[in-house]
Amino acid sequence: TPLIRSLLPPAGRLVGWAVLVVLIFFSNGMFLGETTVYCQRYFGLYGFLSALMVFCLMVSGDRGPASILSGIVLRAVGLMSLSLYLIHPLVMAMVQSFADYYFDRHLSGGFLFVATLACSLPPTAFTYTHIEKRFTLRYGDRSIAGGGPGKPSGEGGKTR
């Protein structure tokens, strides 16, 4: 109906912003000063909220949370996410050691998050460019669905 089609995008944007805030700030207790990882404890709820977020992005179109999530900075971080995932624990330990040794201060919460992210991006970009991207370009997609070595996915063995 026309009424539902006219109300769905603004409602999707509003709900999308709310879900995005919950997913970012309350997926773990870091911003609350706790060590609990809520997205692991309440994985069903966070799975539902993630699906709701995808639905809200679809119905809100190019406005709302989709405009921020499709920005060039977050797309670049998304491309390098594997390297960032692998490097961030080492960088976090180094940032923590640096703060403990030079400032006699134990970092936690949002400041540790921002410092770790800022210090992780240069080595992440380096490893993405010189290791991950070269490996993918050289060997291509060798997923299980590919059906054989050196064959990209979809060109593999035929099924009847």
Side-chain angles (χ1 to χ4, degrees):
T1 65
L3 179 64
I4 292 176
R5 286 186 184 169
S6 66
L7 293 177
L8 204 53
R13 285 192 289 276
L14 180 68
V15 173
W17 282 115
V19 171
L20 183 62
V21 167
V22 167
L23 288 175
I24 289 175
F25 291 109
F26 299 108
S27 61
N28 60 43
M30 180 175 65
F31 289 102
L32 303 174
E34 298 178 13
T35 58
T36 306
V37 181
Y38 296 116
C39 62
Q40 290 176 349
R41 179 177 281 181
Y42 305 107
F43 62 90
L45 174 65
Y46 278 84
F48 171 76
L49 289 175
S50 298
L52 181 61
M53 180 70 191
V54 170
F55 177 75
C56 290
L57 290 173
M58 288 186 332
V59 298
S60 66
D62 291 340
R63 296 170 56 192
S67 63
I68 288 181
L69 294 175
S70 63
I72 193 160
V73 173
L74 288 182
R75 287 192 323 209
V77 170
L79 276 176
M80 301 182 299
S81 62
L82 176 63
S83 295
L84 181 63
Y85 171 73
L86 295 173
I87 287 176
H88 89 274
L90 300 170
V91 173
M92 186 174 1
M94 290 170 45
V95 166
Q96 195 64 267
S97 297
F98 182 84
D100 286 343
Y101 185 78
Y102 288 104
F103 301 112
D104 197 26
R105 181 182 166 116
H106 184 76
L107 299 179
S108 64
F111 190 75
L112 178 62
F113 172 78
V114 171
T116 301
L117 183 62
C119 294
S120 294
L121 287 178
T124 295
F126 179 82
T127 57
Y128 172 74
T129 303
H130 297 288
I131 297 171
E132 185 180 344
K133 191 173 181 182
R134 284 186 180 185
F135 182 83
T136 332
L137 288 174
R138 181 173 180 178
Y139 294 105
D141 178 17
R142 292 196 178 186
S143 63
I144 294 172
K151 295 182 181 177
S153 183
E155 295 180 15
K158 295 180 181 176
T159 58
R160 200 163 190 244

